[in-house]
Amino acid sequence: MKQYVWLDVSQKETSVCVVDEVGQVLFEGKAKSDPGALTALLRKRAPQAERIGFETGAMASWLWHELRRVDLPVVCIDARHAHAALSVRMNKSDQNDARGLAELVRVGWYREVKVKSEESQKTPRDTRREIHSSRYREPGPQSNQRIRLALPTRDRTAVSQSGLRAIGRRSSAPQ
């Protein structure tokens, strides 16, 4: 018998709902939001899981990689799509959300999100800092404009009165 699972993940605990292929609820419960605890629960309560779904969020990438590592058939679903599917429901709770989205996974009406590999997420901090800071080191009118606009009004007035107004833009004033 095929089983379909939805994990409504939050920071501390995850609501779990397991349904069978005809949509009957087999298990509803909660577990710690930890891959080890979730794996143990899923192996016990949903041994024939066809798909295990959860929506995008802060912990989605980490959870997806950890559950894939132990060979669980996980899918990550676009949160906006999941929200739209649940917007017609009356009672909003983690348990009801998990039940409704388990149905969504069962019937296949979802848009799967491709989760980036762990290697592509490991950009060196120095490289990111270098890319970011190079934008502000470029000489030219845009960088001077950015600096001038970042100053408070009284400081912009002082800069203009001191004759530095011509920095970064063309001026007809003699130099």
Side-chain angles (χ1 to χ4, degrees), residues 72-89:
L72 290 174
V74 293
V75 292
C76 187
I77 297 175
D78 182 27
R80 293 172 295 191
H81 187 82
H83 176 73
L86 293 176
S87 63
V88 296
R89 290 186 159 253

Side-chain angles (χ1 to χ4, degrees), residues 9 20 26 43 54 61 64 67 76 153 160 171:
V9 182
D20 64 8
L26 301 176
R43 297 254 190 247
F54 54 89
S61 177
W64 190 87
L67 294 179
C76 187
T153 305
S160 295
S171 166

Side-chain angles (χ1 to χ4, degrees), residues 9-158:
V9 182
S10 64
Q11 193 110 24
K12 292 183 180 179
E13 64 181 11
T14 299
S15 293
V16 180
C17 182
V18 181
V19 296
D20 64 8
E21 53 196 7
V22 294
Q24 184 174 358
V25 176
L26 301 176
F27 172 76
E28 286 182 317
K30 293 189 179 208
K32 282 182 61 177
S33 292
D34 174 67
L38 289 172
T39 300
L41 180 90
L42 293 171
R43 297 254 190 247
K44 181 179 179 182
R45 299 294 184 162
Q48 290 101 21
E50 184 77 15
R51 280 189 294 263
I52 300 168
F54 54 89
E55 61 189 325
T56 55
M59 298 172 59
S61 177
W62 170 69
L63 191 58
W64 190 87
H65 287 292
E66 293 299 318
L67 294 179
R68 278 284 177 168
R69 194 168 283 130
V70 293
D71 296 324
L72 290 174
V74 293
V75 292
C76 187
I77 297 175
D78 182 27
R80 293 172 295 191
H81 187 82
H83 176 73
L86 293 176
S87 63
V88 296
R89 290 186 159 253
M90 294 294 279
N91 297 332
K92 284 286 286 168
S93 69
D94 286 347
Q95 184 179 3
N96 286 340
D97 287 355
R99 186 180 302 148
L101 291 167
E103 282 294 316
L104 192 77
V105 170
R106 181 182 71 84
V107 296
W109 291 347
Y110 59 86
R111 184 177 305 135
E112 186 173 353
V113 174
K114 300 296 180 196
V115 178
K116 288 184 177 182
S117 68
E118 290 175 318
E119 293 82 33
S120 68
Q121 294 179 23
K122 290 181 181 176
T123 305
R125 189 175 292 253
D126 295 337
T127 305
R128 284 184 289 183
R129 188 179 301 127
E130 187 176 308
I131 291 169
H132 180 72
S133 63
S134 69
R135 293 180 192 156
Y136 295 99
R137 282 190 257 162
E138 295 173 7
Q142 293 85 10
S143 60
N144 291 329
Q145 183 71 22
R146 207 175 301 131
I147 292 168
R148 191 177 323 115
L149 291 176
L151 294 172
T153 305
R154 62 183 167 77
D155 292 340
R156 281 197 310 252
T157 305

